[in-house]
């Protein structure tokens, strides 16, 4: 499962569906991340949420410990309006992910990429709660 940075940030900054989903994914699935996602989480938690540096380092350290870190090749052509979103798609392709879970409308509008479903955290929550991992 690829969790986009916006899902991870929400998981560590609020006690909502993304937090519950993250805990579920850690226990039932392999979370696939890249350096790009980790760097984005670090930047947003630091700059937008003003989280103290030691807490940000703890979050990113936890992510690299419990997720499968993957390198990937960039896409040959731009697919999304935001080229950063293409990094998520390239990671999905390179890791043969089963799902991309995101709140990013630019990704969600695609519905899927190379047969990999792109769904909201709420939609994945429904899938994960109804199917054994």
């Amino acid at each position: 499962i690829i969790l986009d940075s916006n899902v991870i940030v929400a998981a560590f900054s609020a006690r909502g569906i993304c937090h519950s989903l993250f805990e579920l994914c850690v226990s039932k699935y392999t979370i696939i991340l890249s350096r790009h996602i980790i760097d984005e989480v670090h930047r947003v938690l630091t700059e937008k949420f003003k989280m103290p540096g030691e807490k940000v380092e703890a979050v990113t350290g936890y992510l690299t410990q419990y997720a499968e870190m993957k390198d990937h090749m960039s896409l040959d052509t731009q697919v999304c309006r935001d080229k950063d979103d293409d990094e998520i798609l390239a990671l999905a392709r390179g890791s043969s992910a089963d799902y991309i879970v995101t709140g990013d409308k630019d990704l969600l509008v695609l519905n899927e990429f190379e047969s990999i479903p792109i769904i909201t955290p709420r939609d994945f929550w429904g899938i994960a709660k109804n199917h054994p991992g």
Side-chain angles (χ1 to χ4, degrees), residues 8-67:
I8 296 169
V9 166
F12 284 94
S13 63
R15 295 277 184 216
I17 184 86
C18 290
H19 178 79
S20 299
L21 180 67
F22 182 82
E23 288 183 343
L24 180 69
C25 286
V26 167
S27 66
K28 286 179 70 173
Y29 299 97
T30 300
I31 299 171
I32 301 167
L33 300 177
S34 65
R35 189 77 244 162
H36 173 82
I37 293 172
I38 298 292
D39 290 347
E40 181 70 6
V41 167
H42 189 283
R43 186 187 66 74
V44 172
L45 289 176
T46 301
E47 294 175 10
K48 184 175 181 185
F49 289 92
K50 307 295 187 212
M51 189 178 279
E54 63 275 0
K55 287 188 178 183
V56 174
E57 294 302 323
V59 168
T60 57
Y62 180 83
L63 291 172
T64 56
Q65 181 179 357
Y66 287 98

